[in-house]
Amino acid sequence: MLIRTVRMVFQMDKVDEFLQNFNQYKFSIRNFPGCHHLELWQDENHKNIFTTYSFWTDENSLDQYRDSELFKSVWRITKPLFSEKPMAFSQKKLEEVG
């Protein structure tokens, strides 16, 4: 399982536009083949900073999403709203301490 986090910083006046776009596409993203989980987080102190947290079957599944028309549609709207370049990380869980 691949865990993907993407940290995004938006222009303050574009936050609502981002949220509207995310809400429009969130179920399509979550139901994309290979996506098993999707969350959106907002920074507690900086309301224009968001992180997506998602689980993918593997790197290939994520690549298929990034090459899809769905991703291109989402990204076309999202990209101009950034105030900084997004930072993406792919990880795997090594251990969970209960």
Side-chain angles (χ1 to χ4, degrees):
M1 187 73 57
L2 179 85
I3 301 168
R4 181 74 166 186
T5 54
V6 181
R7 182 181 182 272
M8 302 167 287
V9 182
F10 293 97
Q11 300 166 51
M12 288 299 291
D13 63 336
K14 303 296 184 182
V15 168
D16 288 340
E17 193 173 340
F18 162 69
L19 289 172
Q20 190 173 36
N21 187 48
F22 181 82
N23 285 323
Q24 179 180 346
Y25 287 103
K26 64 186 176 186
F27 293 110
S28 296
I29 297 168
R30 170 55 189 88
N31 291 311
F32 194 87
C35 183
H36 300 275
H37 183 83
L38 176 63
E39 294 181 20
L40 178 65
W41 302 340
Q42 185 178 35
D43 188 278
E44 180 67 23
N45 299 308
H46 302 92
K47 301 302 181 189
N48 64 321
I49 299 176
F50 292 83
T51 300
T52 55
Y53 175 74
S54 57
F55 298 166
W56 295 85
T57 301
D58 52 25
E59 188 80 29
N60 186 52
S61 298
L62 178 60
D63 287 343
Q64 287 178 0
Y65 167 67
R66 290 190 303 213
D67 290 337
S68 72
E69 287 304 313
L70 173 60
F71 177 81
K72 291 172 187 169
S73 296
V74 172
W75 200 245
R76 183 174 27 256
I77 297 167
T78 305
K79 189 175 179 180
L81 308 178
F82 293 130
S83 64
E84 296 178 16
K85 184 178 179 181
M87 297 188 325
F89 304 93
S90 293
Q91 298 128 135
K92 65 179 179 179
K93 184 190 300 187
L94 293 180
E95 183 175 350
E96 183 173 334
V97 180

